[in-house]
Amino acid sequence: MTEEAVTAHSLTPVLRVLRSCLHLMVAALLGLAAVRAVADHRPHAPAVLATAVVLFALYVAGPRLPRLRGSTGAAALWLTAVGLVWLVLLALTPDGVWLAFPLFFVQLHLLPLRWALPAVAATTLAAVAGFGWHTHTLGVGTVLGPALGAAVAVAVVLGYQALYRESEQRRRLIEELTAARSELAAAEHAAGVLAERERLAREIHDTLAQGLSSIQLLLRAAERALPERPGTALGHVRQARTAAVDNLAEARRFVRALSPPDLETGSLPAALERLCATTERASGVTVHCQVSGAPTVLPTPHEVALLRIAQSALANTVQHAAAGRVELTLSYMDTEVALDVVDDGTGFIPAEVPAPGSAAASGSGFGLAAMRARARALQGTLAVESAPGEGTAIAVTLPCPAAPAGPEAAL
């Protein structure tokens, strides 16, 4: 309860109760001294009564002084005034000795410990001397009573200060922990936002962007066929309409967070065969699809990743490779599943592909980065082999975890 630890604006409920009890104790002891002096018809009864009233008024005025709570010097002056009036009361009646006990707490509360302990010692000596002067004796009880009261007051105050410091330390630790948790939650939220942005960027690139590119190619082909070959142009327009319907389904899937429509209506091999057929019709490039090994049910993230990588690889082939033939192979092995997409196009130098977002990228290069990110997210690998004039081979390998046993397990 030092002035550094406790202020008028930071009093705990316990401290408020203790302070109220201290004030009541002072009022009760002053009243007791005055009543006994009047009741016993002591010769100095009027003086005792007047001194008790002055001391009570001075004591009550102290907490209402603004400077008393913020200045050690002001507190020392007020305590000196209270002590002097108390010495007068002690000289008039032996009952004044009981006020020494609440004075101990007031001194320990308002003064720094280095000043409070000498003040308590001086108050103890004054109480012993005053009571001894009135009783004309200086026995063990006369000395031991005030000394024990001072010791109890010092022990209580020091114990409370230790508990208060520990409570404050715990409060600061809790605040730091709360702040750290808030920072961690914010960091996790930011990481989640970035991961979701990356996921959506991959999804849009592998589905909507590729679909729109296919529609654009089909409409260009239809434009070139008009007006000489209206039947061919009509076929291209119908294929573009089908692609638009598929892209609309993909857009709705984004909103509903569903799996790809191709996988909802069949297996991964069937979805790849439909993809190859659609690509061949839209681009005119021969696309051959084959499955190696015994097909097994893969977890949905694996099937989605393989389908998206196949879509992106075929789209890159159609747009950039000028290939005449593409071979797509899905291989089921004991512990892995692999997807290979090989074309006979113009090829390129993989090391020279700019990173997405760089100045040299100019909107390209995201397809390979997205494919690598998909494979890496499932602890898989993606390899690209290509050279100018020698075509391109893309191979992705994913570990094959235990597949769900049935429809119930997939839920």
Side-chain angles (χ1 to χ4, degrees):
M1 289 190 293
T2 61
E3 77 280 5
E4 295 87 2
V6 180
T7 66
H9 300 288
S10 64
L11 294 177
T12 63
V14 175
L15 188 56
R16 290 192 182 93
V17 173
L18 292 176
R19 187 179 64 174
S20 300
C21 291
L22 183 64
H23 296 340
L24 289 175
M25 182 186 297
V26 171
L29 292 176
L30 286 173
L32 177 64
V35 169
R36 290 190 61 178
V38 173
D40 294 345
H41 303 287
R42 294 177 183 177
H44 302 296
V48 170
L49 182 59
T51 304
V53 171
V54 172
L55 182 56
F56 182 74
L58 184 61
Y59 180 85
V60 171
R64 288 168 171 76
L65 298 176
R67 293 189 59 188
L68 190 66
R69 295 189 294 269
S71 172
T72 302
L77 289 176
W78 178 75
L79 284 173
T80 301
V82 171
L84 291 175
V85 178
W86 171 69
L87 289 177
V88 173
L89 181 65
L90 183 62
L92 294 173
T93 174
D95 294 331
V97 71
W98 303 113
L99 286 166
F101 187 69
L103 285 179
F104 295 151
F105 285 100
V106 176
Q107 291 164 349
L108 290 167
H109 173 60
L110 293 178
L111 299 177
L113 194 61
R114 63 181 182 275
W115 293 4
L117 292 180
V120 169
T123 303
T124 303
L125 292 176
V128 171
F131 193 76
W133 181 71
H134 281 289
T135 60
H136 305 290
T137 60
L138 195 62
V140 176
T142 304
V143 177
L144 195 59
L148 284 177
V152 169
V154 171
V156 169
V157 171
L158 292 180
Y160 182 85
Q161 290 178 3
L163 290 175
Y164 183 84
R165 286 192 297 269
E166 183 179 356
S167 175
E168 284 296 295
Q169 183 179 7
R170 289 183 178 180
R171 182 184 61 80
R172 287 193 294 269
L173 289 175
I174 292 174
E175 290 178 352
E176 293 174 0
L177 179 59
T178 302
R181 286 181 176 176
S182 299
E183 293 175 0
L184 179 60
E188 290 178 348
H189 175 72
V193 169
L194 291 177
E196 183 64 12
R197 286 178 178 175
E198 182 180 356
R199 185 189 71 82
L200 289 176
R202 290 198 304 266
E203 292 288 336
I204 293 172
H205 176 273
D206 294 343
T207 56
L208 299 182
Q210 304 296 358
L212 292 174
S213 297
S214 298
I215 294 173
Q216 182 184 23
L217 292 174
L218 290 168
L219 292 178
R220 283 182 179 177
E223 185 180 11
R224 288 194 300 268
L226 291 173
E228 291 83 2
R229 293 173 293 162
T232 303
L234 180 59
H236 290 320
V237 171
R238 287 174 177 172
Q239 292 178 19
R241 186 178 63 181
T242 301
V245 171
D246 293 340
N247 275 262
L248 179 59
E250 291 290 352
R252 288 172 176 170
R253 183 185 66 81
F254 289 153
V255 177
R256 299 175 184 174
L258 301 176
S259 59
D262 288 341
L263 294 177
E264 291 179 355
T265 58
S267 62
L268 176 61
L272 292 175
E273 290 178 359
R274 288 193 297 270
L275 173 64
C276 292
T278 301
T279 304
E280 184 172 345
R281 288 194 305 269
S283 64
V285 178
T286 300
V287 184
H288 182 255
C289 178
Q290 63 179 349
V291 178
S292 174
T296 59
V297 179
L298 298 174
T300 299
H302 286 60
E303 294 188 342
V304 172
L306 292 172
L307 179 60
R308 294 307 185 213
I309 291 173
Q311 288 175 330
S312 184
L314 291 177
N316 287 344
T317 299
V318 171
Q319 294 177 30
H320 307 296
R325 182 177 179 82
V326 182
E327 292 287 340
L328 185 147
T329 305
L330 178 65
S331 303
Y332 290 93
M333 294 169 279
D334 293 337
T335 59
E336 295 177 332
V337 59
L339 177 70
D340 299 284
V341 181
V342 183
D343 65 63
D344 59 357
T346 57
F348 64 99
I349 301 176
E352 295 182 357
V353 177
S358 62
S362 299
S364 63
F366 188 81
L368 288 176
M371 287 188 278
R372 287 195 179 94
R374 287 187 183 277
R376 193 184 309 116
L378 298 174
Q379 290 74 48
T381 59
L382 184 137
V384 180
E385 295 182 4
S386 183
E390 298 182 6
T392 302
I394 296 177
V396 58
T397 303
L398 301 180
C400 188
E408 295 80 1
L411 296 178

